[in-house]
Amino acid sequence: MQEMNKGVGIIGIGSYAPEKIVTNKDLEKIVETSDEWIVSRTGIKQRHIVEPGVATSSLAALAAERALLDAGVTADEIDLIIVATATPDMLFPSTACLVQDKIKASKAAAFDLSAGCSGFAYGLVTGSQFIKTGLYKKILVIGAETLSTILDWNDRNTCVLFGDGAGAVVLGEVPAGYGILGVELGADGSGGELLKMPAGGSRIPATNESIGQRLHYLQMSGNDVFKFAVKVMGEAAVKALENSGLSHTDVDCLIPHQANIRIIQSAAKRLKLPMEKVVINVDNYGNTSAASIPLAMDEAMKNGRLKNDDIVVLVGFGAGLTWASCVIKWYKEDKAVEK
């Protein structure tokens, strides 16, 4: 059983993005849009896109292997793999099981988690409970997406927004007072129709008609989702801080879901944080859904922006509609293993 004086935190982190980059200028050749229009409304300049035939499990496994190296942990030490994704390789088996096989984590249980762009934070909270109870010691939580595979590249309102990538962390025990201090999870299923992929499930199985009607692509009511996000991102972060016994004045770093620069700015304003304390990489990756927070976190770690004792806030929103926020008192030993 876990010692009561131990916390649960991130002991390793890694990420992966496909090498292929699609710029806004590239998209100008495909749909009626412009670099100026995309940047001014979203902050996105480019996104990473998988090559044909590359699946979500491949990206997830690469990010997971990097997280294991960073943690100084071997695959056979992992007790559980949670993959948060809206773009699984297939409906079943789970992408987590495919990752388990790819990285040879033969002792690990595995399952997928579906909470849209909030999925990674949901996964952190879920995984931390297994460690707090003493059931497991080390858990891989992965956010991975190949959103390019479900985009309608004729729809200029959605195809400019999304990209592919994966981020992974190893959860484990950290000293008392560190790690995850407080969380806020929520959902409003009445907004489910605002962000969805209509076909491919039990409601609308694949048929020639469903394919012809382009129902197997992501659909989004952009204005409604934007209004929801602006409201809920700041609120979720504030509630997670309150649940931690902290306030905005304690925050050293905000790592938000990278959907839109205007939404990120709104969340920072709600928390009364200067933008210097906010991690932003939406310009280089676009919206990578469940992968966006761990991708940004790994980048922040590599850039020296996350230091022991920092109060770090993660916050996201997504399909469902869902929202999630975690407050972490950062503690991470350097246990990286040279490959």
Side-chain angles (χ1 to χ4, degrees):
M1 297 290 286
Q2 185 204 21
E3 297 177 32
M4 295 304 292
N5 65 340
K6 291 286 188 179
V8 179
I10 292 168
I11 63 172
I13 184 167
S15 64
Y16 176 79
E19 292 183 8
K20 180 180 177 181
I21 291 175
V22 174
T23 67
N24 293 345
K25 290 293 185 181
D26 294 327
L27 291 177
E28 289 178 359
K29 303 170 186 176
I30 301 173
V31 291
E32 186 180 344
T33 191
S34 70
D35 176 65
E36 188 279 330
W37 188 93
I38 297 170
V39 172
S40 64
R41 286 162 177 78
T42 70
I44 300 168
K45 298 178 181 178
Q46 63 177 39
R47 66 287 296 147
H48 295 251
I49 302 294
V50 293
E51 297 290 350
V54 177
T56 297
S57 65
S58 297
L59 275 60
L62 288 165
E65 288 172 342
R66 292 177 179 182
L68 290 171
L69 286 171
D70 186 54
V73 169
T74 60
D76 61 5
E77 293 180 77
I78 296 298
D79 300 304
L80 173 66
I81 300 170
I82 302 172
V83 174
T85 185
T87 52
D89 285 31
M90 55 191 96
L91 287 177
F92 60 89
S94 71
T95 301
C97 281
L98 301 176
V99 171
Q100 184 230 42
D101 181 55
K102 286 179 185 291
I103 68 173
K104 307 304 178 187
S106 58
K107 298 177 183 177
F111 64 84
D112 286 358
L113 188 155
S114 178
C117 305
S118 308
F120 178 76
Y122 263 75
L124 281 185
V125 175
T126 302
S128 69
Q129 305 310 305
F130 285 96
I131 298 175
K132 284 181 179 179
T133 63
L135 181 62
Y136 292 142
K137 286 283 189 181
K138 292 180 174 64
I139 295 174
L140 262 174
V141 180
I142 307 168
E145 304 285 7
T146 50
L147 290 159
S148 64
T149 63
I150 62 166
L151 290 179
D152 183 348
W153 291 94
N154 295 320
D155 179 7
R156 66 175 182 171
N157 294 315
T158 56
C159 75
V160 303
L161 301 176
F162 298 94
D164 303 332
V169 300
V170 180
L171 286 181
E173 293 181 355
V174 294
Y178 289 89
I180 298 172
L181 303 183
V183 304
E184 168 68 14
L185 301 180
D188 178 6
S190 68
E193 292 294 305
L194 299 178
L195 181 51
K196 62 184 180 180
M197 188 176 79
S202 59
R203 178 184 292 182
I204 308 176
T207 63
N208 288 336
E209 183 179 9
S210 69
I211 294 170
Q213 293 176 352
R214 308 185 78 77
L215 298 180
H216 295 264
Y217 295 119
L218 180 152
Q219 295 181 0
M220 181 172 68
S221 299
N223 289 336
D224 293 320
V225 172
F226 180 87
K227 292 173 185 175
F228 164 78
V230 166
K231 177 177 183 291
V232 80
M233 283 268 280
E235 288 181 357
V238 168
K239 287 181 180 178
L241 283 165
E242 290 174 351
N243 294 338
S244 308
L246 301 171
S247 74
H248 67 90
T249 59
D250 298 301
V251 178
D252 296 296
C253 183
L254 173 66
I255 306 179
H257 168 45
Q258 306 289 312
N260 181 303
I261 188 63
R262 292 187 292 167
I263 296 172
I264 293 171
Q265 290 168 340
S266 173
K269 184 177 180 180
R270 177 71 174 81
L271 286 170
K272 301 177 182 177
L273 289 180
M275 293 305 292
E276 293 76 31
K277 290 188 175 185
V278 184
V279 175
I280 300 170
N281 66 0
V282 68
D283 52 331
N284 291 323
Y285 294 94
N287 182 344
T288 55
S289 189
S292 82
I293 289 176
L295 270 168
M297 191 190 310
D298 188 32
E299 193 169 285
M301 187 70 196
K302 288 173 179 171
N303 291 339
R305 296 189 62 178
L306 300 180
K307 300 177 179 65
N308 286 353
D309 294 311
D310 279 357
I311 297 298
V312 181
V313 177
L314 316 179
V315 62
F317 69 94
L321 296 165
T322 60
W323 58 91
S325 185
C326 297
V327 177
I328 299 171
K329 187 171 184 180
W330 196 260
Y331 178 87
K332 186 177 174 300
E333 296 181 27
D334 184 7
K335 292 184 177 180
V337 175
E338 292 293 334
K339 189 170 182 180

